[in-house]
Amino acid sequence: MGAMSDTLENLVLDACLGKADTYAAGDLDNATVWIALFNAAPNDAGGGTEVSGTSYARLSKTNEGETSWNNAVGGLKTNKTIFTFVEAGSGGWGTVTHVGIYKHATSTVGTNLLFWGALNTQKAVGVGDIFSFGIGDLQITLD
């Protein structure tokens, strides 16, 4: 996953290059992020088609105490633990093609997508299937 949203790009630029207030730096400090699955690609401005099937919800992951993420090495950040979504309910979730990382549990808060990218292998998720990222499988770079 190498794409940063427009929102995150602006926050990083403001935090690194002397914005007059502390909003940007403070807004980059997220105690929790939410992992989202998509059936159609988002883009830097958001969008896409997030999975909406029965029992689907974004997966919350803590950023505190290095419990969820490995330290970045060589410009690569990976998940430290298995990230497992709940079992897909009736109707399944369709084919998952992309993943995104959000600042909030829902999109109603506004533009809060941080990162997004395509899966190396698309995955059809049917009734009773459990989608997960194995340790080190969710890879984030700042390309």
Side-chain angles (χ1 to χ4, degrees), residues 5-52:
S5 68
D6 291 341
T7 298
L8 182 57
E9 289 170 350
N10 292 336
L11 288 171
V12 169
L13 289 169
D14 286 346
C16 292
L17 299 173
K19 185 164 171 81
D21 61 42
T22 59
Y23 167 76
D27 211 32
L28 288 172
D29 185 15
N30 300 298
T32 303
V33 292
W34 283 263
I35 313 301
L37 303 176
F38 288 85
N39 301 119
N43 57 46
D44 287 356
T49 304
E50 188 172 352
V51 167
S52 62

Side-chain angles (χ1 to χ4, degrees), residues 130-141:
I130 297 175
F131 188 96
S132 66
F133 291 98
I135 294 171
D137 285 348
L138 186 51
Q139 302 180 355
I140 304 162
T141 60

Side-chain angles (χ1 to χ4, degrees), residues 37-111:
L37 303 176
F38 288 85
N39 301 119
N43 57 46
D44 287 356
T49 304
E50 188 172 352
V51 167
S52 62
T54 304
S55 72
Y56 171 78
R58 292 180 184 170
L59 182 64
S60 68
K61 286 297 163 185
T62 182
N63 285 333
E64 303 295 328
E66 299 179 6
T67 59
S68 297
W69 303 97
N70 291 307
N71 290 332
V73 175
L76 177 69
K77 186 90 169 171
T78 60
N79 56 312
K80 188 174 193 170
T81 62
I82 298 171
F83 287 6
T84 304
F85 287 79
V86 298
E87 182 177 303
S90 66
W93 296 350
T95 300
V96 177
T97 61
H98 291 76
V99 61
I101 298 178
Y102 282 86
K103 292 176 53 66
H104 301 287
T106 65
S107 292
T108 58
V109 179
T111 305

